[in-house]
Amino acid sequence: MKKSVGILGGMGPMATAELFYKIVNSTNAHSDNEHIRIYVDSNTSIPDRTAAILYGGKDPFPAMRESLQKLISCGADCIVIPCNTAYYYIDRLQNESAVPILNMPNITAAECARRFPGAKAGILATDGTLTAEIYQKALGSAGVDYVLPEKNEQEALMRVIYDGVKAGKEPESYRQDMELAINGMTKRGADVFILGCTELPIAENKLKLQMPYVDSLDELARATVKYCCAELK
């Protein structure tokens, strides 16, 4: 019997919609009835995670907990969160949850190790994700060496995420910033890139950059299909 999933979303809305699409598109279904039941709370009132982690901004945990409980009350058998920075709060959220929360960074790191054995991964993520060492820890546990962005590269990535994708700008407006980060990290040894912010798969899809990467949203979608006992494409 298939299980249901709750998407704790709104961080941001485009990434939430993209995860819903990827779950559906990853399911080998020949009729509506063969798809997973999906509950979505796109709670755009959740305060910014990076601002909270780095600058003492409003704590997002209470709003995330509220969404979590609403999804569980709907009947979700597991929870997924399409925001990598939000996994800073994963232990606190799991302690509040009667159902498992699938861990996107750990899933992504394990897939990087499987698909690119011996490769060095360039971490593309928000300031909050990097400061919290979310992917450094996940990749380290998976035995994957990594490269971090330098200051100017990270500033460029934050422009891609916040001033580009989240702001709904045309992709050409942030192509130069994305390429600056990728080219610099490649020169310092990155063999493959972790798209460790859920806006970055959206950016990559629009820019069609020629680089090996692991898409955190793709991996979360596929893990969700597996967990919910549906058949993967």
Side-chain angles (χ1 to χ4, degrees), residues 9 15-16 23 30 33 46 52 76 84 119 188 194 212 214 220 224 228 231:
T16 302
I23 292 172
H30 304 288
N33 298 143
I46 296 174
N84 283 284
R188 296 199 307 282
I194 299 292
V214 182
L220 183 60
T224 301
C228 291
E231 185 179 341

Side-chain angles (χ1 to χ4, degrees), residues 203-223:
E204 192 285 329
N205 184 56
K206 292 181 177 182
L207 294 173
K208 305 297 182 187
L209 300 174
Q210 299 300 309
M211 63 178 190
Y213 63 86
V214 182
D215 176 344
S216 58
L217 270 183
D218 264 347
E219 300 313 323
L220 183 60
R222 291 177 63 80

Side-chain angles (χ1 to χ4, degrees), residues 142-155:
V144 179
D145 197 5
Y146 54 83
V147 177
L148 296 176
E150 292 187 344
K151 185 175 185 294
N152 65 319
E153 296 161 355
Q154 184 59 24
E155 289 170 349

Side-chain angles (χ1 to χ4, degrees), residues 94-171:
Q94 188 62 76
N95 286 339
E96 298 279 346
S97 178
V99 302
I101 303 171
L102 304 191
N103 191 312
M104 176 161 57
N106 288 352
I107 290 165
T108 303
E111 184 62 15
C112 183
R114 187 189 72 81
R115 284 173 49 196
F116 301 96
K120 185 175 286 189
I123 303 176
L124 307 179
T126 65
D127 292 349
T129 298
L130 291 180
T131 298
E133 298 188 342
I134 291 169
Y135 270 99
Q136 294 95 311
K137 292 173 182 175
L139 289 167
S141 295
V144 179
D145 197 5
Y146 54 83
V147 177
L148 296 176
E150 292 187 344
K151 185 175 185 294
N152 65 319
E153 296 161 355
Q154 184 59 24
E155 289 170 349
L157 281 173
M158 291 295 282
R159 289 193 295 269
V160 172
I161 295 164
Y162 281 90
D163 301 334
V165 179
K166 283 182 179 290
K169 297 290 180 62
E170 290 299 314

Side-chain angles (χ1 to χ4, degrees), residues 6-45:
I7 299 179
L8 201 170
M11 307 173 283
M14 287 181 66
T16 302
E18 187 74 3
L19 178 61
F20 185 102
Y21 170 79
K22 286 176 181 286
I23 292 172
V24 173
N25 197 49
S26 296
T27 305
N28 187 20
H30 304 288
S31 69
D32 294 346
N33 298 143
E34 293 181 3
H35 281 281
I36 298 164
R37 186 167 190 172
I38 302 174
Y39 304 98
V40 181
D41 185 4
S42 186
N43 185 356
T44 56
S45 67

